[in-house]
Amino acid sequence: MSGAALRLIRCRRLSTTTSGSGVKKVFQWRNLKKVAKVTSAVVLGGCLFITYEVAVLDKAITIDTSAILKEKYKSYIYLKAISSEEKENFAAELTQKARKELHKAARRFLEVSSWLFQQSLDEHFRHVDADPHEVALWVLLKRTKSGNKAVRLQAVQDLAENHHWHDYQYQTAAQVIDQRTAVGLARTPEVDLRFFRPPPAMQYLEDVTAEDGLRELLASLPQSEVDKCVQYFTSVALRESTQSLAAQRGGLWCFGGNGLPYAQSLTSVPSEKVESFCLQALVQHSKVQSHRDPIVKNGGLHLLQRVFQLRKDSLKIQRNIVRIIGNLAINESLHQAIVQSGWVSVLGEMMQSPHVIQASHAARALANLDRETVMEKYEDGLYVLHPQTRGNQPIKADVLFIHGILGAAFKTWRQKDRSISSEDNTESSDDYTECWPKSWLAADCPNIRVLSVDYDTHLSDWTSSCPAENQRKSLACRSQELLKKLLQAGVGERPVVWVAHSMGGLLVKKMLLDAAEDPEMQNLLKNTKGILFYSVPHRGTYMAEYSVNVRYLLFPSIEVKELCRDSPALRYLNENFLDMARERDIKVLSFAETLPTSIGPMIKILVVPSQSADLGIGELIEVNVDHLNICKPEKKDSFLYRRSLHFIQEALHKYINH
């Protein structure tokens, strides 16, 4: 094309130099023909060239589709046939995800609308017609953090009482609820345990056993500012643990090492037993306020969680662990650490245990954690039998149960043991109760608080759990200890009825006399409305005389020595108490045994005769039972229980019926 243009230019130049119009026209047409021929040739050649180049390029870039198809087939996902159950689970999962998204959208809509109308989300939701299962959860969770205490308490109750939440909603709530709400839910009757996050997964060193951890924890605790009993239990635990460790390694305690496996088997101590010794020592340490922080600081909460999960088949070990947690919870500064280490879910589950003792230990720990509805603090040895959960029933009075020698906070107050050969044994075993104050009295008097006191007693110093504790076993020392615990628990702020068995009655009289001399305990004395005595030896017991006569075999303990018949101490205690009871018009009811009690294979004695069980005021009722069963009603409609219930209701009539 460039060549044709040059030719055309030359022709124009020639035409300008030629003369004559005719000649010019002829020459012009000839040049135009030449130009057309050249131009057409150039255009045709260019088209042919371009066509050729395109063909060559197309051949060069052609892709082999067979290879692509092969790779395509390889990338396919081949699905196997699934069962109908798996399809249903898949569909349920999709439905759950869809509900979550709808839930989020609904909540966002409510937040925006509440902002537009300048109303709080709670108030605005009252006028919104929405699916409660999709929106109500968030509203209740928001209310649990309200500045109004009544709103918070009602929100926690509504959360727990609604048993129709979906599983994902429980999971959501478990992640959102705060410490206060978690404790409140755990103290709600029959709460769904899905509200609580499980204890956090903890990594342990493979070569460090739970026994080693307990030994190291005990060794790290201070030994100063502790009494002899704490030192005693700690030394016993460390000694047993060291002996067990040496036996496992075939060392000092194996009399020659691995060469004497039989001797090694005799000296080795089972790990569970060593752990029990260590926990018993930790219980004593946890009673000391200054030792609670070091226990937590040195990893005690996580270590106890490990032992608890390891010994799920041992009720005793679990009780001791929860007992320690209950003692630690007395310090409010440790509440956050206790909750974060997963103990709320453990305590909530134990609260639903069919075993009364397990549930009561958990109830005490949770009550000490619950600063929202519980102002009192329950020291070691003081248990709430009712109410163990939150409720709308106002508490108007207290009933305290105090056991006697060889008794306990729970076993003393159980229902009378049923004889297998008894003809009256027609009732179902489900009707039997391990603690009638918790099962029967709480049902008949729902607006009272039922407390049970626990303390160690022994007939002989040989069976004492702590030999160094002997100086603390007198009535005077025990009275001062229990008064401090009762003051912390708020006993005396409401009307009180005391229920005591055996030596427990003497302890009640001593505490009331001591309270009369203590300005801080005047309310306790003022609010004491009645005392129920079950075979209390006001003038001593033959059992004490028997123990003293064979003291070289039994080594009678201090509490037994104080029960000698017609002792000056008992006479002084009884006379002073009678004066005070008459002056303050305290109602009294006494039960006396009439059957002898077996205290050995061939020995039966009447432990507390009627003359000693008679205080001198109030009614005395003789019952055809022995000393151990005088406080154990055979059934709920038995005379022993019905008369006891009538006395409690009569003493508190003015307060619990209004």
Side-chain angles (χ1 to χ4, degrees):
M1 294 179 67
S2 60
L6 291 174
R7 288 176 181 275
L8 180 59
I9 293 171
R10 287 185 62 188
C11 290
R12 287 180 178 177
R13 287 179 181 176
L14 289 174
S15 65
T16 57
T17 60
T18 307
S19 62
S21 58
V23 176
K24 289 179 181 179
K25 291 180 179 178
V26 173
F27 183 78
Q28 186 177 0
W29 282 106
R30 287 179 179 176
N31 286 329
L32 288 174
K33 289 181 180 180
K34 290 180 180 180
V35 170
K37 290 180 181 180
V38 172
T39 302
S40 61
V42 171
V43 172
L44 180 60
C47 290
L48 292 174
F49 177 77
I50 291 173
T51 303
Y52 173 76
E53 291 295 331
V54 171
V56 172
L57 183 61
D58 180 66
K59 185 177 181 180
I61 65 174
T62 299
I63 300 175
D64 186 3
T65 58
S66 61
I68 296 178
L69 291 175
K70 290 181 180 179
E71 294 298 324
K72 184 178 180 181
Y73 290 138
K74 289 181 180 179
S75 64
Y76 285 167
I77 299 176
Y78 297 93
L79 300 176
K80 65 178 182 178
I82 60 176
S83 63
S84 58
E85 182 178 355
E86 292 176 340
K87 290 181 180 179
E88 292 176 358
N89 293 337
F90 180 71
E93 184 178 354
L94 289 178
T95 304
Q96 176 180 335
K97 291 182 179 179
R99 281 176 174 169
K100 282 185 178 180
E101 296 302 323
L102 289 174
H103 197 174
K104 292 179 182 178
R107 174 161 176 79
R108 182 58 181 165
F109 169 76
L110 288 175
E111 288 178 345
V112 173
S113 60
S114 63
W115 176 75
L116 290 175
F117 290 101
Q118 296 182 352
Q119 290 180 318
S120 66
L121 179 60
D122 291 355
E123 294 296 328
H124 185 65
F125 180 71
R126 295 178 182 177
H127 310 288
V128 176
D129 185 13
D131 184 0
H133 292 291
E134 301 300 336
V135 183
L137 175 65
W138 286 106
V139 175
L140 292 176
L141 291 176
K142 181 182 174 75
R143 289 179 178 175
T144 60
K145 301 179 182 180
S146 170
N148 188 321
K149 180 179 178 180
V151 172
R152 294 196 304 267
L153 295 178
Q154 186 61 45
V156 173
Q157 183 177 344
D158 292 342
L159 272 175
E161 290 180 352
N162 191 334
H163 297 284
H164 303 290
W165 301 117
H166 301 293
D167 187 62
Y168 80 90
Q169 290 178 302
Y170 283 111
Q171 296 176 8
T172 301
Q175 299 296 326
V176 174
I177 59 177
D178 56 10
Q179 170 182 317
R180 181 173 55 194
T181 304
V183 173
L185 287 171
R187 296 194 71 236
T188 304
E190 299 180 359
V191 66
D192 195 303
L193 298 178
R194 288 177 292 177
F195 274 119
F196 310 108
R197 286 181 293 177
M202 292 168 283
Q203 300 294 331
Y204 305 110
L205 298 176
E206 295 182 358
D207 56 340
V208 178
T209 64
E211 177 185 333
D212 294 334
L214 290 172
R215 181 175 63 252
E216 293 174 2
L217 177 60
L218 278 177
S220 68
L221 297 179
Q223 295 298 320
S224 59
E225 300 181 3
V226 296
D227 58 24
K228 294 182 179 180
C229 268
V230 177
Q231 297 177 5
Y232 170 77
F233 281 112
T234 302
S235 64
V236 169
L238 293 177
R239 184 187 67 218
E240 295 292 341
S241 182
T242 303
Q243 179 177 346
S244 173
L245 181 63
Q248 293 172 8
R249 295 176 178 176
L252 298 174
W253 299 92
C254 297
F255 304 101
N258 296 327
L260 294 174
Y262 180 71
Q264 179 178 348
S265 66
L266 290 177
T267 57
S268 62
V269 182
S271 297
E272 184 174 344
K273 184 178 180 181
V274 175
E275 292 168 7
S276 183
F277 276 116
C278 291
L279 290 174
Q280 193 175 13
L282 281 175
V283 167
Q284 301 301 322
H285 278 280
S286 65
K287 293 180 182 179
V288 184
Q289 184 173 357
S290 61
H291 287 201
R292 293 166 186 160
D293 285 333
I295 291 176
V296 175
K297 183 179 179 180
N298 295 332
L301 291 173
H302 297 288
L303 179 60
L304 292 174
Q305 187 75 254
R306 179 184 180 185
V307 179
F308 188 92
Q309 301 300 330
L310 182 65
R311 301 298 181 189
K312 283 191 172 183
D313 57 337
S314 175
L315 296 180
K316 182 178 180 181
I317 285 182
Q318 289 195 339
R319 283 198 301 270
N320 278 333
I321 292 176
V322 174
R323 185 178 173 185
I324 295 171
I325 299 300
N327 291 342
L328 297 178
I330 296 175
N331 287 19
E332 295 186 31
S333 60
L334 301 178
H335 286 188
Q336 184 177 0
I338 294 174
V339 173
Q340 290 179 348
S341 55
W343 280 106
V344 174
S345 61
V346 174
L347 296 175
E349 183 178 1
M350 185 177 284
M351 278 278 289
Q352 301 179 10
S353 170
H355 301 285
V356 173
I357 302 179
Q358 305 294 103
S360 297
H361 277 276
R364 169 179 167 263
L366 285 172
N368 285 336
L369 286 173
D370 187 5
R371 297 297 91 188
E372 183 85 331
T373 61
V374 182
M375 297 299 103
E376 303 84 4
K377 293 183 178 180
Y378 298 99
E379 295 280 351
D380 188 80
L382 191 59
Y383 298 97
V384 185
L385 302 182
H386 174 80
Q388 293 186 340
T389 58
R390 286 186 179 181
N392 297 324
Q393 190 82 345
I395 302 301
K396 298 183 178 181
D398 291 335
V399 178
L400 270 71
F401 287 79
I402 316 292
H403 67 79
I405 294 180
L406 299 182
F410 304 100
K411 72 175 185 178
T412 294
W413 312 108
R414 68 183 185 273
Q415 184 178 353
K416 183 179 180 181
D417 298 332
R418 293 177 177 174
S419 174
I420 300 178
S421 60
S422 176
E423 297 180 359
D424 296 335
N425 194 14
T426 57
E427 299 181 15
S428 171
S429 59
D430 295 337
D431 297 331
Y432 182 83
T433 175
E434 296 178 359
C435 185
W436 62 263
K438 180 180 184 301
S439 302
W440 299 347
L441 183 60
D444 291 328
C445 303
N447 56 353
I448 65 173
R449 180 175 62 159
V450 183
L451 300 174
S452 185
V453 176
D454 194 19
Y455 58 96
D456 292 331
T457 59
H458 303 278
L459 290 176
S460 168
D461 284 343
W462 277 59
T463 59
S464 176
S465 57
C466 175
E469 195 182 27
N470 290 339
Q471 71 274 12
R472 300 195 313 176
K473 289 183 178 179
S474 65
L475 284 176
C477 291
R478 292 198 188 279
S479 172
Q480 293 299 322
E481 287 183 359
L482 289 181
L483 281 175
K484 293 178 182 179
K485 294 181 180 181
L486 296 180
L487 184 63
Q488 284 281 88
V491 177
E493 298 176 3
R494 311 180 187 93
V496 181
V497 169
W498 303 79
V499 181
H501 174 240
S502 189
M503 192 195 76
L506 304 181
L507 185 56
V508 170
K509 294 194 296 183
K510 179 60 177 174
M511 284 192 291
L512 291 177
L513 288 175
D514 290 344
E517 300 177 0
D518 188 347
E520 294 184 356
M521 302 299 297
Q522 291 302 306
N523 285 337
L524 176 61
L525 185 61
K526 178 182 177 181
N527 284 321
T528 295
K529 304 303 178 182
I531 307 175
L532 179 57
F533 293 115
Y534 289 109
S535 286
V536 174
H538 299 290
R539 295 173 178 80
T541 171
Y542 293 111
M543 181 71 179
E545 292 182 1
Y546 175 83
S547 299
V548 171
N549 291 335
V550 292
R551 57 185 177 274
Y552 294 107
L553 295 177
L554 292 179
F555 288 89
S557 58
I558 290 179
E559 54 259 55
V560 169
K561 294 177 182 178
E562 289 183 329
L563 298 181
C564 288
R565 201 158 47 109
D566 296 326
S567 70
L570 286 182
R571 188 182 305 111
Y572 176 80
L573 176 66
N574 199 45
E575 291 175 355
N576 288 337
F577 178 78
L578 282 174
D579 294 338
M580 184 184 68
R582 292 190 180 102
E583 179 183 353
R584 297 184 175 272
D585 193 24
I586 299 176
K587 298 182 181 298
V588 175
L589 174 63
S590 301
F591 288 99
E593 66 204 61
T594 59
L595 296 181
T597 302
S598 298
I599 62 173
M602 303 177 61
I603 303 175
K604 284 188 176 184
I605 62 172
L606 193 64
V607 179
V608 180
S610 298
Q611 296 82 358
S612 183
D614 187 3
L615 178 62
I617 59 173
E619 183 181 2
L620 175 67
I621 301 177
E622 295 184 342
V623 185
N624 194 30
V625 293
D626 59 18
H627 186 72
L628 297 179
N629 290 313
I630 189 67
C631 57
K632 299 176 179 61
E634 188 174 0
K635 47 189 176 180
K636 191 173 182 180
D637 60 354
S638 64
F639 169 78
L640 187 60
Y641 174 73
R642 301 309 302 178
R643 185 65 184 90
S644 301
L645 174 63
H646 181 265
F647 173 80
I648 294 173
Q649 291 176 331
E650 184 181 24
L652 300 174
H653 174 74
K654 297 180 181 180
Y655 313 99
I656 64 177
N657 293 332
H658 292 84

